[in-house]
Amino acid sequence: METVRLTTAQALIKFLNQQYVQIDGEEFPFVEGIFNIFGHGNVLGFGQALEQDPGHLKIIQGKNEQGMAHAAIAYSKQMLRKKIYAITTSSGPGSANLVTAAGTALANNIPVLLLPADTYATRQPDPVLQQVEQEHSTAITTNDALKPLSRYWDRITRPEQLMSSLIRAFEVMTDPAKAGPATVCISQDVEGEAFDYDVKFFEKRVHYIDRKLPTERELNGATELIKASKKPLIVVGGGVKYSEARESLMEFSKRYNIPLVETQAGKSAVESSFVNNLGGLGITGTQAANKAAIQADLIIGIGTRFTDFATSSKTLFNFETTKFLNINVSRMQAYKLDAFPVVADARTTLEALIPMLEGYTSEFGDLITELKEEWLIERDRLSKVTFNRENFDPEIKNHFSQEKLNEYADALNTELAQTTALLAINDTIDPDSIIICAAGSLPGDLQRLWHSEVPNTYHLEYGYSCMGYEVSGTLGLKLADPTKEVYTIVGDGSFLMLHSEFITAIQYNKKINVLLFDNSGYGCINNLQMDSGNGSFNCEFRTDDNQIMNIDYAKVAEGYGAKAYRANTVEELKAALEDAKNQDRSTLIEMKVLPKTMTDGYDGSWWNLGFPEVSNQEGVQKTYELKQQKLKNAKQY
Ligand SMILES: Cc1ncc(C[n+]2csc(CCOP(=O)(O)OP(=O)(O)O)c2C)c(N)n1
Ligand SMILES: O=C1C[C@@H](O)[C@H](O)[C@@H](O)C1=O
Ligand SMILES: [Mg+2]
């Protein structure tokens, strides 16, 4: 057997360079690069291996392990899971910082390779700096915290274990039904230990991402269900994007007059202006989509996980009569809601179904166009919301008095409404720009209001809805599509939570644009608590003496080296957006927006939450009673 003597870290880097994927006949390297923050746990093993021979891997120095992993996740999601970045971290706190990011990748089914350093395999120097000790087991390390959040997890304590471990990791990451984070922890002493590796291990390896075909039985069952339905409705999930099923979906929808509605992950699979696209569904859905859902007698879920946000906590549909047909590569997802499951690739299934439905047409008739037109009027209204100091009626009603809204207008020196600002942005930035968001009130506004006219330009992480993904993820977008303008749409709370990779973007001259909506508080949570009958408790950003905080984020961005703007009117905002397009460096536009000016829920929007059963507040009791009412018609599982 021909062998080559390498350290474990050198072998790993050599292997990463040889992994390819083949999709629809096209072949390319799977691992684009590696993010790193070096500490004593990885600088010697990984650091040496990367310095000696990185191969084609791009090497990016991150600023926060969670942040750089979020950048890698956004990269992979934007690349439709066809390419990844790996992440190397030190042990202890460096790897603990990956926990949140692993959860984000897992919830969203995004492949990413996490390579945290681990404790010494020999245990000779134990306990080392940053090693935690448990009395009942010496085998537990910080990295065990990543187990429940990884789709594949392994610990390497001997150099030769690397071979079988990496093959498993890549098999998992390149399987459309299982794709998610693979975590391979490597003992820090083992990173530098040598082994005579079989050269075959380093030969070019192609992972074939094949399209799983539906069976005849599945196609016949699906055809029967659709033909028996008067008002079928398509729920477009993220799987539609990953399957690149846009054209077949539009053909299917148009030919049989079946409306489609979008989940956060599915939005921009098909452009918003498509005649049958009724927009976002569920808790943060449009009036049009939710009205269609209430009437539908068959829900065709394509590549969707049917989260609570899509189904309004399983209250949106008429579960007594409505049937479900799920097309999904994952059996687990296809089984949901007692659906007829078609466990197959979305595009292939739609292509097969189109000819089988010849002669069919839904009974939606002109209703689709009518619903769409009605919604566009509402959207237009929301683009023109203007504040006044006497009798302003915000979207989120009966929370803050006029006096309190005036206090915000004075403290933040603004009269700008969130929906007005958001739609001005939608009108001004180039349609092929990519936007990203994850948490707060903005995901709801975006799902309802944002018009995406170029496919795959709307990037929402709403599986984990992890604050801090927004700015970090924007760097991932720029790495995925360097020719496009990329914009993060982020609340002040999320910006404060984590924006370390803003500096990485500036450092590597990857231009990103941060659009910061500052309402001085955790706005959506404040809405939630007040909607549920509570007071405004600890969600506004106020000082000890009750003053609304006014933070100069533009100055912070300037300090980092970004071009910064302050825009508190639509005119200032549009001017800043135009100027930002002409900049070579990263930008931040700070907008002070009034609280309570985000969108509210429409028909069919209800969220099952932990409303208290006992309370001395009348409003709280009412929301609990409403929950009992709602659950009477909800599907129980
Ligand atoms: C890491 C993380 N921690 C906590 C939450 C819960 N959470 C969701 S939205 C939110 C507040 C967001 O505030 P901001 O970004 O200012 O947006 P706004 O709602 O004000 O528009 C919080 C705390 C979360 N989603 N992610
Ligand atoms: O708790 C939450 C409430 C949602 O409105 C928000 O978008 C999300 O980020 C969240 O975590
Ligand atoms: Mg806020």
Side-chain angles (χ1 to χ4, degrees):
M1 183 207 310
E2 194 186 342
T3 60
V4 51
R5 191 157 183 80
L6 296 169
T7 68
T8 309
Q10 290 161 0
L12 190 144
I13 301 303
K14 198 172 170 63
F15 180 87
L16 297 189
N17 270 285
Q18 291 292 61
Q19 305 312 299
Y20 287 73
V21 287
Q22 199 187 102
I23 306 169
D24 297 333
E26 212 193 324
E27 194 174 291
F28 39 83
F30 186 55
V31 188
E32 178 75 2
I34 183 161
F35 277 96
N36 70 77
I37 293 181
F38 288 139
H40 72 265
N42 62 340
V43 70
L44 302 178
F46 272 97
Q48 187 281 333
L50 283 168
E51 187 186 5
Q52 179 173 296
D53 186 8
H56 73 246
L57 300 184
K58 294 178 181 147
I59 303 173
I60 302 181
Q61 176 200 73
K63 297 291 166 290
N64 171 293
E65 288 86 357
Q66 180 186 324
M68 67 182 183
H70 274 161
I73 293 164
Y75 172 84
S76 172
K77 184 172 156 75
Q78 192 61 29
M79 295 299 293
L80 304 177
R81 311 193 299 189
K82 295 176 182 177
K83 272 176 170 273
I84 62 160
Y85 266 82
I87 314 287
T88 158
T89 74
S90 197
S91 54
S95 60
N97 271 354
L98 288 179
V99 170
T100 310
T104 305
L106 187 67
N108 290 280
N109 298 318
I110 303 297
V112 63
L113 181 61
L114 304 177
L115 302 166
D118 215 322
T119 52
Y120 281 77
T122 63
R123 298 186 179 167
Q124 180 275 326
D126 286 8
V128 299
L129 180 71
Q130 301 173 325
Q131 180 175 348
V132 292
E133 289 182 286
Q134 287 275 13
E135 290 184 347
H136 69 280
S137 168
T138 316
I140 294 173
T141 81
T142 296
N143 290 342
D144 286 273
L146 287 157
K147 275 185 186 168
L149 299 168
S150 300
R151 196 136 278 150
Y152 173 75
W153 187 98
D154 199 7
R155 172 175 286 138
I156 304 296
T157 56
R158 293 176 63 99
E160 60 269 45
Q161 291 172 342
L162 188 75
M163 295 178 281
S164 50
S165 186
L166 285 182
I167 290 168
R168 289 278 349 262
F170 278 78
E171 173 260 308
V172 168
M173 288 189 291
T174 56
D175 179 345
K178 286 192 297 209
T183 302
V184 180
C185 319
I186 307 187
S187 296
Q188 47 190 289
D189 47 349
V190 176
E191 281 176 42
E193 280 175 17
F195 182 75
D196 295 311
Y197 287 94
D198 184 343
V199 293
K200 281 207 174 75
F201 177 61
F202 302 108
E203 282 173 6
K204 178 176 170 180
R205 199 175 291 263
V206 182
H207 306 270
Y208 293 89
I209 305 187
D210 290 330
R211 295 182 177 275
K212 189 176 178 309
L213 304 178
T215 64
E216 211 178 309
R217 177 192 59 77
E218 288 175 323
L219 289 172
N220 288 337
T223 305
E224 230 173 84
L225 271 171
I226 297 170
K227 283 192 168 167
S229 159
K230 291 185 167 61
K231 287 191 172 169
L233 177 75
I234 301 162
V235 177
V236 182
V240 174
K241 276 192 190 168
Y242 300 134
S243 161
E244 297 181 86
R246 173 179 169 272
E247 283 80 12
S248 32
L249 178 59
M250 286 162 87
E251 166 73 10
F252 179 80
S253 160
K254 219 167 161 182
R255 193 171 315 177
Y256 302 117
N257 200 35
I258 305 177
L260 53 89
V261 295
E262 305 161 315
T263 68
Q264 288 279 23
K267 192 170 163 101
S268 87
V270 167
E271 39 275 57
S272 307
S273 58
F274 173 57
V275 55
N276 284 351
N277 187 353
L278 295 179
L281 175 74
I283 296 176
T284 46
T286 67
Q287 176 86 294
N290 285 4
K291 276 187 176 173
I294 290 164
Q295 299 186 22
D297 61 2
L298 174 69
I299 303 297
I300 308 172
I302 312 182
T304 173
R305 298 188 299 126
F306 284 112
T307 67
D308 59 352
F309 264 73
T311 66
S312 293
S313 302
K314 297 180 188 148
T315 59
L316 183 55
F317 310 111
N318 181 347
F319 287 98
E320 286 297 308
T321 52
T322 302
K323 294 190 162 57
F324 287 79
L325 161 63
N326 290 351
I327 302 167
N328 206 301
V329 282
S330 154
R331 260 174 98 81
M332 178 178 88
Q333 301 301 346
Y335 266 52
K336 287 183 177 171
L337 301 177
D338 291 337
F340 178 81
V342 175
V343 185
D345 172 67
R347 185 163 103 188
T348 317
T349 306
L350 288 168
E351 280 167 0
L353 281 176
I354 289 170
M356 294 175 77
L357 290 166
E358 210 52 68
Y360 172 80
T361 188
S362 86
E363 290 183 15
F364 268 107
D366 293 336
L367 184 64
I368 306 174
T369 323
E370 284 163 25
L371 288 173
K372 203 170 162 83
E373 277 169 7
E374 184 189 25
W375 172 249
L376 287 177
I377 293 169
E378 173 67 352
R379 182 178 181 272
D380 186 55
R381 182 188 70 76
L382 290 162
S383 72
K384 296 182 180 132
V385 174
T386 44
F387 179 68
N388 76 70
R389 299 183 67 94
E390 281 80 45
N391 56 356
F392 181 58
D393 186 24
E395 289 312 295
I396 310 295
K397 303 190 191 307
N398 307 319
H399 287 190
F400 286 1
S401 65
Q402 178 76 51
E403 197 184 8
K404 187 161 176 174
L405 289 167
N406 291 351
E407 183 194 358
Y408 268 95
D410 291 339
L412 299 178
N413 190 26
T414 192
E415 300 201 339
L416 193 57
Q418 180 162 310
T419 57
T420 307
L422 193 62
L423 286 168
I425 294 167
N426 202 175
D427 277 353
T428 312
I429 66 173
D430 297 336
D432 69 347
S433 315
I434 310 168
I435 61 146
I436 187 169
C437 188
S441 66
L442 287 159
D445 284 4
L446 286 166
Q447 199 192 1
R448 292 190 181 103
L449 301 179
W450 194 261
H451 276 184
S452 308
E453 292 312 333
V454 176
N456 201 20
T457 53
Y458 179 92
H459 182 124
L460 241 293
E461 186 286 286
Y462 219 55
Y464 222 38
S465 186
C466 188
M467 292 167 75
Y469 180 84
E470 299 91 336
V471 177
S472 325
T474 320
L475 172 60
L477 299 189
K478 193 67 183 178
L479 294 172
D481 211 337
T483 62
K484 300 263 179 75
E485 287 288 348
V486 294
Y487 295 88
T488 183
I489 302 213
V490 63
D492 51 326
S494 275
F495 184 81
L496 289 174
M497 179 98 42
L498 180 65
H499 62 262
S500 313
E501 299 333 302
F502 193 19
I503 293 142
T504 311
I506 293 167
Q507 177 185 4
Y508 286 91
N509 205 17
K510 304 287 174 203
K511 183 191 172 190
I512 67 169
N513 302 287
V514 177
L515 306 179
L516 175 51
F517 285 70
D518 178 14
N519 55 14
S520 199
Y522 298 137
C524 67
I525 308 297
N526 181 256
N527 291 350
L528 196 56
Q529 67 182 174
M530 298 193 77
D531 270 342
S532 315
N534 302 281
S536 179
F537 176 63
N538 230 23
C539 286
E540 298 176 59
F541 291 173
R542 286 183 184 262
T543 58
D544 236 13
D545 56 351
N546 207 30
Q547 299 305 304
I548 294 164
M549 291 187 80
N550 184 343
I551 299 170
D552 193 342
Y553 293 104
K555 204 172 201 170
V556 172
E558 267 163 14
Y560 293 150
K563 170 79 182 164
Y565 308 83
R566 293 176 186 84
N568 290 355
T569 65
V570 170
E571 294 69 36
E572 285 170 355
L573 175 57
K574 287 190 167 175
L577 288 164
E578 291 298 352
D579 195 76
K581 285 184 199 171
N582 298 323
Q583 297 294 327
D584 291 332
R585 57 179 164 147
S586 290
T587 72
L588 178 142
I589 302 178
E590 176 203 274
M591 290 159 276
K592 303 293 187 196
V593 291
L594 292 167
K596 310 296 170 189
T597 60
M598 58 286 278
T599 55
D600 200 357
Y602 290 89
D603 287 8
S605 162
W606 181 74
W607 198 9
N608 184 358
L609 291 162
F611 303 104
E613 197 167 347
V614 177
S615 148
N616 55 12
Q617 289 151 289
E618 200 189 325
V620 175
Q621 284 165 12
K622 275 195 182 140
T623 48
Y624 180 76
E625 282 152 23
L626 175 69
K627 170 169 166 165
Q628 302 315 306
Q629 282 301 322
K630 283 279 183 187
L631 289 181
K632 281 186 186 151
N633 295 323
K635 188 165 175 69
Q636 290 187 346
Y637 57 96

